[in-house]
Amino acid sequence: SLSSSLLPLSLSLYQSLYRPSTLTLSHAHTHSIFPSFYLFITHTPTHISSLPHPPAGIESVQYVNTASSRLILLERTPAGFAIFHPDSLTQAQWTLTLVRTCESLLNLDMHTDCLAYATRALHSAALLSPASAELFRFLNCAGLFGLNRIEEVHSELRVMLHGRPDSIVLWNLLFQCTQRAALKGAHRFIIRFVSKHPTCVPGHIMLGNHHLQAGTPSFAAYCYSLAFRQKPNDPLVNLSFGIAFLRMVMQRRPVDRHAAVLNAFAVLHNYAALRGETQEATYNLGRAYHELGLVHIAVHFYQRTLALPSARQAADLEAGVSTSEEHDDTDLTYEAAFNLSLIFRASGAPALASALLAQYCVI
């Protein structure tokens, strides 16, 4: 966590990066890596003679000459702070320190600096290893994404996905890229990818989402069925599969509507059983019945949604901690109450609908 009493850092990791920038990083952030240490990254090319921004409250600092510009750790000593010699750190410690630094830069929206350090790390034989290469490549993508360089992020993700075809994080980032920019060949890439990796569930789901947005729910249902064969007990796969059947029922093209309705609610109730008695499951079931006009069943599930705690509240109750006063993004009470008020108003009970809105939706 960041606070007002933070150590200013002048950042530059390599001699080729002389443009200094300012970052504030708390002691608690680096304490998990090296206890009693502050992180200091210098842009001085050769020797360290003085700190550009001395930490407040430090009376004396001992200096050790370093051979090149690199990361420095300030070690707490009885006399003050001493610079921890960088040669005494292992490659894993340097890698972890740089990764935490890039994470701090991303949290502070300093995407240009994060991109610079991740790029240089990818070209550094001293820092790069097979285990860290993928991590720095992902940090590089995060920096590019923050700078809205979507096409470059998409190109990097296409390479990374071949190494980890089932990575949910990579597929989520790829989906955000397709939503933020009209990328040429994005759809064709997914088709080729799932043909080479037929067991890739995230790829089938993303392809199904594309067809669902394009207004072809029958093709979406086929893609979801391929994912369903691989993971029949995945709640997301069941929910997506059921939504595709509902879209098939609502479209104008001729379809066996009764069979599609039965298939939709068979899969959706399987999804609800996998999720358990939660707000999310009951609300989605109520919304599905509401979509088809089966309001007498939708009322039942909406009322159950109002009686259940949100996902965050349920987690707090299970952990035995008090619920926070902050806004709960997982709370579906407002949505369920509003939809229920629409049903009451359409059935000729405006007073009941107003009372429901006043109880749950009025601040």
Side-chain angles (χ1 to χ4, degrees), residues 222-249:
Y222 171 73
C223 295
Y224 293 141
S225 67
L226 297 178
F228 184 80
R229 293 176 185 176
Q230 301 296 326
K231 291 186 176 181
N233 295 325
D234 191 311
L236 178 60
V237 173
N238 283 267
L239 178 62
S240 303
F241 203 8
I243 292 174
F245 278 119
L246 286 179
R247 292 288 183 86
M248 292 173 61
V249 174

Side-chain angles (χ1 to χ4, degrees), residues 113-287:
D113 295 289
C114 175
L115 178 61
Y117 299 138
T119 303
R120 295 299 300 178
L122 288 172
H123 294 84
S124 172
L127 287 175
L128 202 62
S129 64
S132 63
E134 185 178 5
L135 182 56
F136 284 123
R137 189 172 285 112
F138 182 78
L139 291 171
N140 185 63
C141 287
L144 291 170
F145 191 83
L147 296 173
N148 205 30
R149 294 160 62 174
I150 304 301
E151 293 185 359
E152 297 179 54
V153 178
H154 186 258
S155 301
E156 288 286 339
L157 290 174
R158 291 171 63 163
V159 176
M160 296 174 65
L161 279 171
H162 284 289
R164 296 185 61 184
D166 295 322
S167 174
I168 303 297
V169 176
L170 297 181
W171 280 106
N172 283 339
L173 190 56
L174 184 70
F175 182 75
Q176 293 185 42
C177 290
T178 59
Q179 295 298 304
R180 293 180 61 172
L183 300 172
K184 296 182 179 180
H187 179 60
R188 293 193 298 271
F189 164 73
I190 301 174
I191 294 177
R192 293 194 302 268
F193 189 89
V194 296
S195 63
K196 295 180 180 179
H197 304 273
T199 61
C200 178
V201 173
H204 291 301
I205 293 177
M206 187 169 177
L207 193 58
N209 293 342
H210 175 82
H211 286 299
L212 208 59
Q213 291 180 346
T216 53
S218 57
F219 289 104
Y222 171 73
C223 295
Y224 293 141
S225 67
L226 297 178
F228 184 80
R229 293 176 185 176
Q230 301 296 326
K231 291 186 176 181
N233 295 325
D234 191 311
L236 178 60
V237 173
N238 283 267
L239 178 62
S240 303
F241 203 8
I243 292 174
F245 278 119
L246 286 179
R247 292 288 183 86
M248 292 173 61
V249 174
M250 302 301 294
Q251 67 180 357
R252 296 182 179 180
R253 299 175 184 176
V255 67
D256 190 351
R257 300 184 186 277
H258 297 288
V261 169
L262 290 176
N263 289 331
F265 285 105
V267 178
L268 287 174
H269 278 278
N270 187 35
Y271 148 77
L274 293 170
R275 293 296 292 167
E277 190 74 4
T278 59
Q279 258 196 354
E280 173 202 317
T282 55
Y283 174 80
N284 285 332
L285 283 177
R287 185 67 186 85

Side-chain angles (χ1 to χ4, degrees), residues 53-90:
H53 300 285
I58 299 177
E59 298 179 356
S60 62
V61 176
Q62 300 174 0
Y63 299 102
V64 178
N65 291 336
T66 56
S68 61
S69 173
R70 60 179 68 190
L71 291 139
I72 303 297
L73 290 176
L74 297 179
E75 182 184 7
R76 184 187 298 273
T77 63
F81 276 73
I83 296 180
F84 197 78
H85 201 279
D87 294 336
S88 60
L89 299 179
T90 64

Side-chain angles (χ1 to χ4, degrees), residues 289-303:
Y289 283 109
H290 194 182
E291 181 76 15
L292 296 183
L294 303 174
V295 294
H296 59 290
I297 307 177
V299 167
H300 168 70
F301 285 105
Y302 283 147
Q303 289 176 341

Side-chain angles (χ1 to χ4, degrees), residues 96-114:
L96 183 58
T97 304
L98 182 58
V99 168
R100 295 294 176 86
T101 303
C102 291
E103 291 175 353
S104 298
L105 290 169
L106 291 174
N107 292 333
L108 294 171
D109 295 330
M110 300 174 66
H111 303 101
T112 303
D113 295 289
C114 175

